[in-house]
Amino acid sequence: SGSAWVSHDEQQRGSLEVGKLAALAVLTKDYLGVPVQEIGSIEALLTMVGGRVVYAAGPYAAMKGGFFRNDCEARLPGKYDRP
């Protein structure tokens, strides 16, 4: 990503790759695919900054306060669950 390149942090961040710090958000809906009037109803379920979970709700609540790098195996809801 451009900001990682500018700060010379490409080895630590800037893309989702093994060994890099994660910064991402999990939302209840795809904000690019909902009608404009529904965007305000979208909620965050998980927010990670620098590999640290800074907000977690719903099925991700157990991850709150955790720290993950992409080379760690994080237990995500549904990842290993069987129907």
Side-chain angles (χ1 to χ4, degrees):
S1 128
S3 62
W5 178 79
V6 169
S7 63
H8 304 286
D9 285 335
E10 302 99 328
Q11 299 302 317
Q12 291 293 321
R13 61 185 189 92
S15 60
L16 293 176
E17 296 179 45
V18 172
K20 290 189 175 183
L21 296 173
L24 59 95
V26 176
L27 306 174
T28 56
K29 297 178 186 174
D30 176 3
Y31 68 90
L32 295 175
V34 299
V36 172
Q37 61 273 19
E38 292 181 28
I39 292 175
S41 69
I42 296 174
E43 297 178 32
L45 295 175
L46 176 72
T47 305
M48 293 178 69
V49 178
R52 180 168 303 282
V53 176
V54 295
Y55 177 79
Y60 300 96
M63 297 174 66
K64 189 167 186 168
F67 183 79
F68 301 99
R69 291 181 72 98
N70 290 345
D71 53 352
C72 293
E73 194 60 48
R75 175 72 165 100
L76 299 177
K79 185 171 181 183
Y80 302 107
D81 296 341
R82 294 186 179 181

